Amino acid sequence: MNRFLFQTSRRCFSTTATRFHKPNARKQLAGSGNVPQRAGIANDKQIYLDWNARKTSVFHHFWLRDHCHCEQCYHSTTRQRLVDTFSIPRDIEPTAIDSTEEGLEVTWPDGHRSKYAWDWLHTHSYSPVLRTAEPLQGKKPVLWDATSLNPLPVVEHDAVMESDDGLRQWLNNLEVYGIGFVDGVPTTLEATEKLARRVSFLRETHYSKGMWSFTADLAHADTAYTTLALGAHTDNTYFTEPAGMQMFHKLEFKGEGGDSLFVDGFNVARQLKEKSPEAYRTLQSTLVPTHSAGDENVLIVPTPRAYPILNHGPDGELFQVRYNNDDRSTLDHLSTSQLEAFYDALFMWNDLLKKKENELWEPLAPGRVVLFDNWRVLHGRSAFTGHRRICGAYFPWDDYKSRARTLRLTGEDKDRLL
């Protein structure tokens, strides 16, 4: 059997939408017995792509056939797979491969031809991984404290409502800082809801069917519906999936106090890790049960029953702070030593949350709306007197992130990244 080896021009690569020059494509077919030195260990299941003198990607034959994006195998409109994975022979081998200017072309035993763009192959190289970050991860967070978030990330209401550029800037602030403000918003529930729905549809909860508006009237059995001060916390720790985003707009206020507090939980977590790696590991691993049970017809607990305060993804990165000490259920599942370690870590966490330099206080005068990442930014308020009406909403995490992605990505970007 023949061994295919294509010599072509090479250059540096990026994962932008610019067109790549074709790399070397080579394949060891069964029984060829002559493997190029740069191929490493070759067998009858893989194709090798030489991007440059130091980068070679290995793609399994089955993987390539399973990921064909031709119109027969991939729906161009829905971007869903049409190929029947389970009908592909596990030992499938190409009958021909070719390097073209546009990408790699592979012919399969049944005559099916697959084409893979160079930028798509580079983005999805898995052996080795060549991308430096998950392509759809979003913007890298910029940590902040009370002094560094200056000036505040503010966008004007008309810009958000009248253009995607304005909305894009607002959501960019949210992805980068976890918080973004909009000024010049009419002080009505209707105008605030129109602004909210520029982001996504709203999340219904036992508090409301969308937008909520309340005063300190205990309409719900929750301390938020009082005049009491609220320490820094995240909402919905008792939900299996806490709301991803939260909005506030103070519509009416006649009194004193009632300023809003915001703390960058990712920054405080970094400070805790630097101060005490052991305390950080404790809050990363200790499961904390929570509940919402004030209203007569409500008894909400998450599934699983408990989550850590600091939640990490498979890559080890912190992606969610889940903390409201007021909503914590009884700790009856920890040993004596585990309890001591947890309380020690909790006190360190609380001390850092309350450091003056970490607390961003904002009066949120009527007309200024704030939207913040409920998985990152903790919020609270000072006690107040008088009349204070505030409205707001919860947003599903995935729908907010979807809106942010589609505002910055083209259809070609989708095809390249998926």
Side-chain angles (χ1 to χ4, degrees):
M1 300 181 72
N2 294 324
R3 172 174 52 84
F4 299 92
L5 179 62
F6 298 90
Q7 297 292 341
T8 59
S9 60
R10 303 178 181 127
R11 74 175 187 180
C12 296
F13 289 83
S14 69
T15 54
T16 63
T18 56
R19 286 289 166 259
F20 295 112
H21 282 192
K22 52 185 178 180
N24 284 346
R26 49 192 161 86
K27 168 182 179 290
Q28 168 81 6
L29 293 178
S32 67
N34 185 11
V35 183
Q37 291 296 315
R38 289 172 298 174
I41 299 175
N43 54 44
D44 60 353
K45 295 184 177 181
Q46 300 168 139
I47 288 177
Y48 298 76
L49 295 183
D50 290 332
W51 302 103
N52 55 41
R54 294 187 297 175
K55 289 183 180 179
T56 297
S57 293
V58 180
F59 293 97
H60 289 72
H61 300 160
F62 188 92
W63 186 93
L64 286 167
R65 181 64 189 88
D66 186 45
H67 287 84
C68 178
H69 276 199
C70 77
E71 62 182 12
Q72 293 175 284
C73 299
Y74 188 80
H75 199 292
S76 60
T77 300
T78 69
R79 293 185 172 86
Q80 291 176 293
R81 293 162 49 82
L82 300 176
V83 63
D84 181 1
T85 299
F86 309 102
S87 69
I88 304 171
R90 289 300 305 276
D91 59 352
I92 192 169
E93 293 185 44
T95 57
I97 61 175
D98 188 22
S99 293
T100 71
E101 288 297 331
E102 290 74 28
L104 178 70
E105 292 189 3
V106 180
T107 303
W108 303 101
D110 60 358
H112 189 89
R113 296 183 65 188
S114 300
K115 298 180 180 180
Y116 310 90
W118 296 129
D119 51 358
W120 185 90
L121 287 166
H122 192 273
T123 297
H124 297 285
S125 174
Y126 58 88
S127 181
V129 174
L130 300 179
R131 58 188 177 273
T132 57
E134 164 56 43
L136 297 175
Q137 185 174 13
K139 302 297 184 67
K140 184 176 181 180
V142 173
L143 307 186
W144 51 266
D145 57 25
T147 57
S148 63
L149 197 64
N150 185 23
L152 294 177
V154 177
V155 183
E156 290 299 317
H157 171 261
D158 288 349
V160 175
M161 297 302 297
E162 297 173 5
S163 73
D164 282 348
D165 285 341
L167 178 59
R168 186 180 298 110
Q169 182 58 54
W170 189 24
L171 297 186
N172 178 76
N173 291 338
L174 290 163
E175 288 199 287
V176 173
Y177 304 109
I179 191 168
F181 299 85
V182 179
D183 277 354
V185 183
T187 53
T188 66
L189 181 65
E190 294 75 17
T192 309
E193 180 171 356
K194 288 181 180 179
L195 175 67
R197 293 188 183 278
R198 283 286 284 158
V199 178
S200 73
F201 63 85
L202 310 182
R203 178 169 175 177
E204 293 189 8
T205 68
H206 59 292
Y207 296 113
S208 72
K209 293 183 178 181
M211 294 291 297
W212 37 260
S213 174
F214 70 93
T215 61
D217 58 3
L218 276 176
H220 288 279
D222 189 290
T223 50
Y225 291 75
T226 70
T227 61
L228 299 173
L230 300 176
H233 65 281
T234 63
D235 273 13
N236 306 156
T237 59
Y238 40 77
F239 285 158
T240 301
E241 181 183 299
M245 306 294 292
Q246 186 168 1
M247 172 185 279
F248 288 145
H249 188 193
K250 189 188 295 181
L251 300 178
E252 305 166 2
F253 185 54
K254 293 181 180 180
E256 295 183 357
D259 287 353
S260 292
L261 166 68
F262 302 101
V263 179
D264 185 351
F266 284 6
N267 191 30
V268 172
R270 178 191 61 81
Q271 295 171 21
L272 178 66
K273 194 171 189 177
E274 292 176 351
K275 180 178 181 179
S276 174
E278 181 179 355
Y280 187 96
R281 285 192 295 271
T282 297
L283 296 190
Q284 178 182 356
S285 60
T286 303
L287 300 177
V288 180
T290 51
H291 66 267
S292 176
D295 287 354
E296 181 180 355
N297 297 319
V298 171
L299 178 52
I300 299 174
V301 297
T303 304
R305 180 65 181 89
Y307 288 83
I309 291 173
L310 303 178
N311 292 273
H312 296 71
D315 58 359
E317 292 295 318
L318 176 66
F319 74 90
Q320 182 190 74
V321 175
R322 193 180 182 112
Y323 175 71
N324 187 340
N325 199 53
D326 294 350
D327 291 339
R328 176 160 52 83
S329 301
T330 304
L331 293 174
D332 56 8
H333 64 296
L334 303 176
S335 68
T336 300
S337 60
Q338 289 173 327
L339 275 173
E340 290 291 341
F342 174 72
Y343 280 127
D344 287 344
L346 189 67
F347 270 69
M348 289 187 199
W349 170 255
N350 180 67
D351 288 344
L352 290 171
L353 283 180
K354 292 182 176 178
K355 286 182 66 173
K356 185 176 180 180
E357 53 265 39
N358 286 330
E359 294 185 328
L360 174 66
W361 287 95
E362 166 59 38
L364 280 187
R368 168 166 284 187
V369 164
V370 62
L371 183 62
F372 57 93
D373 182 345
N374 187 51
W375 290 13
R376 170 182 173 181
V377 174
L378 296 87
H379 66 283
R381 70 159 184 245
S382 61
F384 65 93
T385 60
H387 171 73
R388 181 179 185 265
R389 175 171 293 279
I390 193 164
C391 74
Y394 290 130
F395 299 77
W397 174 263
D398 289 327
D399 297 284
Y400 142 67
K401 295 297 286 187
S402 172
R403 187 71 162 130
R405 292 188 195 103
T406 55
L407 282 171
R408 66 169 180 266
L409 297 175
T410 65
E412 286 188 357
D413 290 330
K414 281 187 179 182
D415 292 332
R416 176 171 54 87
L417 298 175
L418 296 176

